[in-house]
Amino acid sequence: MPLTTVQQTRLQEDLRGLIKGDVRCEEVTQQLYATDASILQSRPICIVCPRSIDDVVAVVRYAAEEGIPLQLRGAGTSLTGESLGEGIALVFSRYMRRILETGDDFVTIQTGLLRRRLNGIIGQSQNRLFGPLAGNVSSASLGSILARNGAGLHYLRYGLPSDHLVSMTVVLANGDQLTLDRRSLPQPLQGDESVTLAQEITYGKEYVYAGKVARILENRTSEQLVESARRLPVNRTGYAEHAVLHGKDANQVDLARLFAGSEGTLGITVEATLKTVSCPQRKCAAAFFFRSIFSAVEAATAVLPLRPVLCEMIDRRRLSMVRDWDARYRPLIPADAEAALLVELDAGTLEDPSSADDCKNALAHMIDLVQTKEQLCFHALRVNTPEDFQLFDEVIRRSELALGRMRHSVQPIPLFDDVAVPLNTMNTVISDLLSLFQRHNITASLSGHVGQGNIRIHPLADLAQPDAIPKLHVLTEDVYSAILQHGGTISSEWGTGLLKSQFLPQQFPHLTPLFREIKETFDPQYLLNPGKIIPQETHWTTYLRHGLEKRGLPPPTPVGASDSRLMKQRLNALTPDQVAIQLKWDPAHVFEAVHRCNGCGECLRFDRQSRICPLFRGTATIEFAPRSKADLLRGILEQDINLETLTGGRAKEIADTCFQCRMCDIECPAKVDVNVLSFRSKAAYVAAYGLPFKDLLFSRLDTILTLLTPVSSVFNVVMRSRVMRWFFEKTLQLPQRRVVPTLTHRPYLKRVRWSPLRHRLMPDQTQKERLALFVDTYINHFYPQLAELAVQILERNGFSVHVPVRQQPSGWNSFAVGHADRAGWLARYNSALMTDLIRQGYKIITMEPYSASCLTKDYPYLIDSAEAELIADNTTDFCSFLYECYQADKLNLEFQPVPNRIGYHAPCCGLARSVSLTMDSTPAEKLLRLIPELDVQRIERGCCGMAGFWGFQQSNYRHSLQIGTPLFQALRLPKIDFGVSDCSACCSQMTHGSKKPAHHPIRLLAAAYGLLPKGTTFASSSWR
Ligand SMILES: Cc1cc2nc3c(=O)[nH]c(=O)nc-3n(C[C@H](O)[C@H](O)[C@H](O)COP(=O)(O)OP(=O)(O)OC[C@H]3O[C@@H](n4cnc5c(N)ncnc54)[C@H](O)[C@@H]3O)c2cc1C
Ligand code: SF4
Ligand code: SF4
């Protein structure tokens, strides 16, 4: 239902007048809410982020009056298009995410709160948690967990989310509010039309609705009762009408139980009180490996009587993807395993502990049963220590996300995954399914929470093939027939959404009319989440994401295809010439990156185990998330929005919410190159309108600093004056409070050029291992002493160092603001210089990770690929290089003690370059640990918020400090003398935020080698 511009403006103005929350109706924002983690898409006409229940009621009443449907949305990561639709999208995860009350064993929350965030908070303060886990993704909101009431990974331990629901407040489609407290269930009021206003006022609306529902249920036919009784305990298709009536005469109506699992089609849950449980004492688990998937299912059947709390099956494909993803699993997961079964036994809770010995004995019995007696598995691993459990949990999480890492056009399609069957029929069903796949010539990945009968089936298909959709369509029907034939359900936890709801009558032919009656009792106009649970006429394929086929255009070139010429032809056919000419993008690369994003929502995290995405986590604004950058470009490539949009202010605003920290490189499971997508968007804007003045200053910072060098002492005095800083804030957007480091009067590269010792820094043809030092803007102009010390340290280790004095800055800041011309020029210039050196046998050593990151990861988008490859292979940063020397026994370890306690912060670019997991130690950290008496404490509190020069802009200043606050708080602790980071920009932010000095590891290494003058302390960041 696309609106005209006038209608859109009216809608926006009306809603903005009614509520305090955000209202956005422009095309670009609509596009960002048009998809979730499914293969479907449907664009809302308006996005509303309510701030309170009053806002929700106002929007609902307005929508009811205007007849506009509403879709409810948490983080938008469902796999069946549950949060999609063409009406107003009500987004709860933006503002309605507070904890309202915490008791000893309960918590009252607003429903936009993420489960993981809640558990992080109450886990730390009370050692308690909300148990049920719907999706093993990090961004699931509690509103969605209740709306879906899925069995989930922890079903065997905690049961369903509704088992932990104490009460909920819901807003109905007519704006009525109900408080559904399960501790005092309403009894139905007799009569329908006859319920008087007085009765309604006396008893409350809950009693009226209870009466209506009770009457529907009392009239169930015998076929409906039979169908109802036959459903599986983990069924998630239709409404839970079977669980609503309680009491001796079935005269208590549990409406909350009906709303749980209704996928937001009956009402909007705005607040809920949930039971919490104490964190489990985890002691015992095992991983079994099998030669066949059937043996794994047999083993699950064998261990179930031992009452495990988790029983998860992972197939060969996922296991091998996990091994490739994380090296820690290579020695643990046998390469020839066809399937694994992960089983955990209950060791009780704090209040109700079971003995550790009992648990160990039970585990020994289980292993003996599966491995020796039944001879089902060929290998078993015990999980005992906290570290083992961390690996155990991670393998489950990673196995869910791993398929997204497949690097070719054949991709896992979330289509008919999440089915469930009785466990005793599972092997027959799997065997039927495998024959079906063979007949349809399709491969698939099969795994699941087998302990509760759940099977995850991911067909692997190339949706760009013309016959893919029809083939999958037929296959879907066949799969569902097979599942239903064996008494199964087409959904056990993910809900039916837009993808599966049309199959509801197939599973519940008799109950479907009853479900309709229930829906119409609460929402007669079908305004809430239409098309979900109760089927509509539109076929699911109408919502398919890959929209090009729908318009009769040639299908997309498969992801990862090398024929970028073909891709360009296609894109040129789609793009208006005059805009295409201006854009600086490589269509093949954009296409590949965009289509890799599967909407999994891992980039919407807030927890401390991750850093992605520093810009999103402070605001919880979906537009700031990495996913949005991919969604925006997808909209353009699939012609859902105009190409010209890319050069509009809103697109620029979205692209600007990436400061190229590169954490996506390690934390996005699908490895979407968001960094480069943002660069492309920014570059498109710059190509169309030129560079904004403040961005020009940052892009040209090195030129400006060079020009200021002769007057550096005046500059430094001026920069210390509050009045002048105020003036610069007003004119140059440089924040008044930001302390600018002291500008040197002799930049390092100039020093080298005119130094009498220059011969030492010239190429030395006699040396076998030759190093060329790359000195970027920050060190060159603000910390030249670091470069001098770096040379001395390398010389101490027997290397002769060449400093190419004609080198230019890496161009990192030009790249960050989308100044493609200058970034390209710098890349071409430096690569000519460096490839020449590399061919002479030199290795390029940078002193800061962002320089290394730019040279190795950004240059490939700017220069010839052969040169880029050569540079990437031969460039490393200073600390990584020295640590490699240490590993090769070549590092001079004659260190003097440095008796200090330091808080080490790993810079984002450094992490992304040198490790595969955020929590891993970086080479700099490992190197510092070699220094005697130096107490190195790693502070993992996320990004510092500086991001090169991003934090130097007035518009970003507050946000920059807000991002860095957890780090500053940790640094301020008395147990830390000063901070250390291998990025000078991070050091300056750490000093600014914590008021403690922060130093580059080069300075500590220099101290350890005795290269600093006697009496030097680390009490100040200043070198003078
Ligand atoms: C890789 C991957 C693995 C997954 N694995 C699982 C799994 O194992 N088990 C599982 O169950 N799910 C799984 N999911 C699906 C998904 O992550 C979960 O369903 C998650 O709970 C969705 O949370 P959300 O906040 O993104 O919800 P959304 O997608 O935003 O919404 C989900 C549903 O909840 C409704 N809703 C949201 N808020 C409200 C509200 N306040 N009131 C009423 N209705 C509301 C929406 O209308 C929609 O119907 C997986 C997803 C991914 C990407
Ligand atoms: S950008 Fe990566 S982490 Fe974010 S939704 Fe896309 S695939 Fe998931
Ligand atoms: S590169 Fe960093 S700032 Fe940019 S989207 Fe990824 S995590 Fe966010």
Side-chain angles (χ1 to χ4, degrees):
M1 187 180 54
L3 297 186
T4 62
T5 318
V6 177
Q7 287 170 319
Q8 208 165 299
T9 315
R10 204 201 104 204
L11 177 66
Q12 185 161 300
E13 281 172 4
D14 285 355
L15 287 171
R16 282 190 179 163
L18 287 173
I19 68 164
K20 294 206 179 89
D22 298 349
V23 180
R24 303 212 70 136
C25 290
E26 74 279 356
E27 213 184 14
V28 173
T29 313
Q30 290 173 352
Q31 180 62 25
L32 306 185
Y33 292 87
T35 51
D36 53 8
S38 70
I39 49 168
L40 306 183
Q41 88 171 40
S42 179
R43 217 161 81 184
I45 52 169
C46 181
I47 291 85
V48 174
C49 303
R51 283 180 184 269
S52 61
I53 299 184
D54 288 347
D55 276 3
V56 177
V57 172
V59 177
V60 169
R61 294 219 161 111
Y62 177 85
E65 239 168 65
E66 301 286 323
I68 305 173
L70 288 156
Q71 298 89 243
L72 320 173
R73 191 170 169 119
T77 64
S78 65
L79 288 145
T80 57
E82 277 175 273
S83 59
L84 306 182
E86 292 176 349
I88 297 172
L90 264 182
V91 182
F92 289 91
S93 54
R94 173 80 178 92
Y95 297 117
M96 294 191 61
R97 54 192 176 104
R98 275 182 300 139
I99 298 179
L100 302 171
E101 194 186 347
T102 316
D104 288 345
D105 58 355
F106 74 91
V107 64
T108 304
I109 47 103
Q110 291 182 318
T111 46
L113 181 70
L114 303 191
R115 173 191 181 273
R116 194 165 178 139
R117 192 162 168 76
L118 169 71
N119 283 351
I121 295 169
I122 60 172
Q124 208 171 31
S125 59
Q126 295 183 314
N127 197 26
R128 295 185 76 79
L129 52 78
F130 172 70
L133 174 65
N136 196 14
V137 286
S138 312
S139 52
S141 65
L142 288 157
S144 81
I145 290 177
L146 293 173
R148 294 159 67 263
N149 201 29
L153 181 70
H154 292 160
Y155 173 74
L156 296 179
R157 192 199 293 265
Y158 298 116
L160 295 173
S162 56
D163 300 336
H164 300 252
L165 175 63
V166 180
S167 70
M168 69 203 307
T169 306
V170 291
V171 176
L172 301 185
N174 58 6
D176 279 355
Q177 251 182 77
L178 301 186
T179 303
L180 308 175
D181 192 332
R182 303 182 77 199
R183 289 163 296 195
S184 56
L185 293 178
Q187 293 187 355
L189 286 185
Q190 293 309 315
D192 189 359
E193 305 307 323
S194 56
V195 172
T196 62
L197 191 59
Q199 271 179 311
E200 192 178 316
I201 292 170
T202 317
Y203 295 103
K205 287 197 171 70
E206 293 76 10
Y207 282 72
V208 181
Y209 282 103
K212 292 181 182 181
V213 171
R215 271 187 298 284
I216 296 173
L217 299 183
E218 276 159 15
N219 295 332
R220 273 175 293 180
T221 62
S222 53
E223 287 99 336
Q224 285 175 335
L225 287 169
V226 170
E227 215 166 67
S228 188
R230 256 202 236 132
R231 67 171 58 152
L232 290 179
V234 294
N235 168 67
R236 259 301 304 117
T237 314
Y239 296 125
E241 94 300 335
H242 65 293
V244 172
L245 296 182
H246 295 278
K248 213 164 86 202
D249 306 317
N251 64 350
Q252 292 175 331
V253 186
D254 190 355
L255 289 182
R257 180 65 188 84
L258 184 65
F259 275 71
S262 66
E263 294 184 32
T265 57
L266 301 181
I268 305 168
T269 317
V270 281
E271 287 176 9
T273 298
L274 307 168
K275 280 184 217 159
T276 58
V277 292
S278 62
C279 294
Q281 303 199 326
R282 302 181 66 189
K283 293 208 179 76
C284 265
F288 299 100
F289 297 93
F290 305 87
R291 299 236 183 266
S292 111
I293 199 163
F294 298 106
S295 309
V297 175
E298 272 182 59
T301 316
V303 300
L304 227 47
L306 299 174
R307 299 172 65 82
V309 290
L310 182 137
C311 185
E312 191 73 6
M313 182 178 79
I314 307 175
D315 72 340
R316 180 183 56 81
R317 199 173 304 264
R318 286 176 197 257
L319 287 175
S320 72
M321 300 283 307
V322 173
R323 290 176 89 246
D324 288 349
W325 184 350
D326 188 340
R328 292 174 306 168
Y329 290 105
R330 280 175 212 153
L332 299 175
I333 301 176
D336 53 348
E338 278 298 314
L341 193 72
L342 306 187
V343 188
E344 185 174 346
L345 290 174
D346 200 351
T349 60
L350 277 182
E351 296 91 15
D352 181 20
S354 62
S355 112
D357 287 344
D358 287 354
C359 197
K360 280 189 190 138
N361 292 341
L363 186 78
H365 173 59
M366 189 167 74
I367 294 177
D368 183 49
L369 178 74
V370 176
Q371 196 169 17
T372 318
K373 286 207 183 97
E374 304 279 342
Q375 299 200 344
L376 292 168
C377 75
F378 69 93
H379 182 53
L381 286 176
R382 280 166 200 263
V383 177
N384 297 316
T385 62
E387 292 74 35
D388 291 349
F389 270 107
Q390 209 192 341
L391 284 169
F392 183 81
D393 292 344
E394 267 291 297
V395 77
I396 297 175
R397 200 181 79 82
R398 282 175 188 257
S399 72
E400 292 215 1
L401 299 163
L403 291 184
R405 297 172 78 80
M406 291 173 78
R407 284 231 163 244
H408 42 73
S409 56
V410 174
Q411 290 286 309
I413 313 293
L415 192 55
F416 37 72
D417 33 13
D418 174 41
V419 296
V421 292
L423 189 54
N424 58 2
T425 64
M426 193 178 277
N427 265 344
T428 322
V429 174
I430 291 182
S431 154
D432 288 358
L433 290 176
L434 292 179
S435 323
L436 261 179
F437 297 142
Q438 218 169 11
R439 244 193 359 258
H440 288 270
N441 200 14
I442 268 191
T443 46
S445 159
L446 292 175
S447 53
H449 318 310
V450 283
Q452 62 232 39
N454 165 277
I455 323 175
R456 295 275 171 82
I457 318 166
H458 273 106
L460 304 173
D462 178 357
L463 282 189
Q465 296 304 320
D467 62 341
I469 300 298
K471 209 160 139 181
L472 285 172
H473 181 212
V474 178
L475 183 62
T476 305
E477 306 217 325
D478 289 353
V479 167
Y480 287 161
S481 301
I483 299 296
L484 295 177
Q485 208 183 332
H486 288 96
T489 173
I490 62 171
S491 172
S492 71
E493 50 190 55
W494 296 2
T496 45
L498 292 177
L499 190 69
K500 295 182 171 188
S501 293
Q502 72 179 85
F503 298 96
L504 178 85
Q506 221 163 302
Q507 182 167 339
F508 290 121
H510 300 291
L511 281 172
T512 300
L514 183 128
F515 293 155
R516 270 188 210 283
E517 265 187 85
I518 292 177
K519 167 78 178 170
E520 285 165 17
T521 302
F522 292 96
D523 179 15
Q525 284 179 276
Y526 283 76
L527 290 179
L528 294 180
N529 268 349
K532 291 133 202 184
I533 296 200
I534 305 297
Q536 58 184 7
E537 278 172 16
T538 323
H539 197 267
W540 65 269
T541 50
T542 322
Y543 296 107
L544 265 177
R545 237 194 221 199
H546 292 260
L548 291 175
E549 301 92 330
K550 279 192 271 168
R551 297 183 179 84
L553 291 164
T557 304
V559 175
S562 56
D563 192 354
S564 80
R565 196 174 42 80
L566 181 73
M567 187 92 74
K568 276 185 184 131
Q569 272 173 14
R570 259 194 64 239
L571 278 158
N572 286 340
L574 303 180
T575 51
D577 282 349
Q578 73 281 19
V579 184
I581 291 162
Q582 295 186 56
L583 293 182
K584 308 267 177 205
W585 69 355
D586 166 8
H589 176 258
V590 177
F591 220 89
E592 209 264 341
V594 159
H595 282 272
R596 295 203 67 73
C597 174
N598 53 28
C600 70
E602 281 298 290
C603 51
L604 311 176
R605 295 173 68 167
F606 295 95
D607 55 288
R608 286 203 185 144
Q609 280 75 43
S610 113
R611 285 201 187 182
I612 195 172
C613 162
L615 275 164
F616 165 75
R617 55 178 61 218
T619 59
T621 309
I622 296 286
E623 288 91 314
F624 286 18
R627 185 172 74 177
S628 301
K629 281 75 179 177
D631 282 341
L632 174 65
L633 289 180
R634 187 197 342 262
I636 288 165
L637 291 176
E638 293 185 352
Q639 282 199 313
D640 289 316
I641 47 177
N642 293 331
L643 182 65
E644 285 87 348
T645 317
L646 198 54
T647 54
R650 181 72 174 140
K652 165 93 167 105
E653 212 182 305
I654 289 163
D656 277 348
T657 57
C658 169
F659 54 34
Q660 262 90 12
C661 74
R662 284 213 166 271
M663 283 314 292
C664 294
D665 283 8
I666 45 174
E667 294 203 0
C668 162
K671 287 184 99 53
V672 177
D673 202 343
V674 180
N675 181 49
V676 171
L677 287 181
S678 308
F679 167 65
R680 302 263 186 229
S681 302
K682 290 176 195 172
Y685 182 89
V686 172
Y689 299 111
L691 204 60
F693 180 63
K694 68 179 173 55
D695 288 353
L696 182 70
L697 287 184
F698 283 101
S699 177
R700 289 268 177 196
L701 190 70
D702 53 294
T703 318
I704 295 169
L705 293 176
T706 307
L707 290 174
L708 285 170
T709 300
V711 290
S712 61
S713 35
V714 179
F715 173 82
N716 291 331
V717 171
V718 167
M719 290 318 288
R720 264 171 231 130
S721 148
R722 278 177 61 85
V723 179
M724 288 313 290
R725 289 218 303 262
W726 173 85
F727 176 72
F728 289 137
E729 181 174 301
K730 299 296 164 211
T731 52
L732 301 178
Q733 302 289 309
L734 205 65
Q736 187 190 14
R737 301 232 197 125
R738 178 68 75 192
V739 180
V740 176
T742 310
L743 181 68
T744 177
H745 67 287
R746 284 179 70 217
Y748 181 71
L749 292 174
K750 214 167 175 184
R751 286 182 196 196
V752 175
R753 187 178 296 178
W754 302 114
S755 159
L757 299 177
R758 189 172 167 223
H759 64 275
R760 277 198 3 212
L761 305 172
M762 290 289 282
D764 181 348
Q765 307 298 344
T766 59
Q767 286 277 329
K768 267 196 196 148
E769 236 179 314
R770 301 171 189 176
L771 305 180
L773 198 65
F774 187 85
V775 186
D776 223 331
T777 307
Y778 225 94
I779 290 188
N780 190 29
H781 288 281
F782 295 117
Y783 300 108
Q785 299 86 346
L786 278 181
E788 280 167 0
L789 290 176
V791 172
Q792 289 177 41
I793 292 170
L794 291 169
E795 287 176 346
R796 250 317 145 89
N797 281 282
F799 297 101
S800 115
V801 184
H802 166 44
V803 180
V805 289
R806 298 205 177 279
Q807 62 181 282
Q808 292 287 337
S810 65
W812 186 90
N813 40 335
S814 301
F815 198 87
V817 295
H819 195 179
D821 287 341
R822 180 155 165 78
W825 183 83
L826 290 170
R828 281 190 298 279
Y829 180 96
N830 281 331
S831 69
L833 187 84
M834 284 187 284
T835 45
D836 193 33
L837 285 169
I838 291 168
R839 287 191 183 109
Q840 291 175 47
Y842 279 91
K843 208 174 183 74
I844 312 294
I845 305 291
T846 70
M847 275 179 292
E848 308 212 75
Y850 70 84
S851 313
S853 174
C854 183
L855 262 50
T856 57
K857 295 191 169 179
D858 298 340
Y859 278 18
Y861 299 107
L862 301 165
I863 56 171
D864 169 70
S865 59
E867 285 190 356
E869 209 173 304
L870 196 64
I871 293 174
D873 289 348
N874 290 283
T875 302
T876 185
D877 70 274
F878 181 83
C879 291
S880 305
F881 176 73
L882 282 194
Y883 192 69
E884 278 165 30
C885 292
Y886 168 72
Q887 285 175 312
D889 264 344
K890 287 189 195 157
L891 186 71
N892 176 349
L893 287 171
E894 288 166 15
F895 289 140
Q896 297 173 9
V898 180
N900 286 104
R901 298 163 306 168
I902 62 164
Y904 171 74
H905 162 72
C908 299
C909 285
L911 276 175
R913 248 188 71 71
S914 57
V915 300
S916 55
L917 297 172
T918 304
M919 308 306 278
D920 283 352
S921 299
T922 65
E925 184 185 343
K926 292 184 202 159
L927 207 55
L928 289 167
R929 289 191 195 282
L930 301 175
I931 300 178
E933 295 183 28
L934 186 68
D935 175 8
V936 182
Q937 302 168 44
R938 163 85 177 260
I939 304 178
E940 191 39 64
R941 295 284 175 92
C943 176
C944 74
M946 191 60 166
F949 298 102
W950 184 84
F952 265 111
Q953 302 191 20
Q954 169 58 17
S955 50
N956 304 330
Y957 177 67
R958 274 172 167 275
H959 195 175
S960 153
L961 290 186
Q962 190 193 353
I963 295 171
T965 299
L967 170 66
F968 308 149
Q969 284 166 345
L971 277 171
R972 282 187 207 128
L973 295 176
K975 62 177 184 174
I976 287 173
D977 298 334
F978 56 87
V980 173
S981 177
D982 31 340
C983 167
S984 312
C986 294
C987 286
S988 113
Q989 172 86 332
M990 287 154 74
T991 307
H992 185 54
S994 71
K995 308 290 175 244
K996 275 191 182 172
H999 300 280
H1000 197 290
I1002 290 178
R1003 215 172 165 199
L1004 283 114
L1005 286 166
Y1009 279 122
L1011 296 172
L1012 297 184
K1014 279 229 167 345
T1016 306
T1017 68
F1018 295 98
S1020 152
S1021 296
S1022 165
W1023 290 80
R1024 290 173 186 82

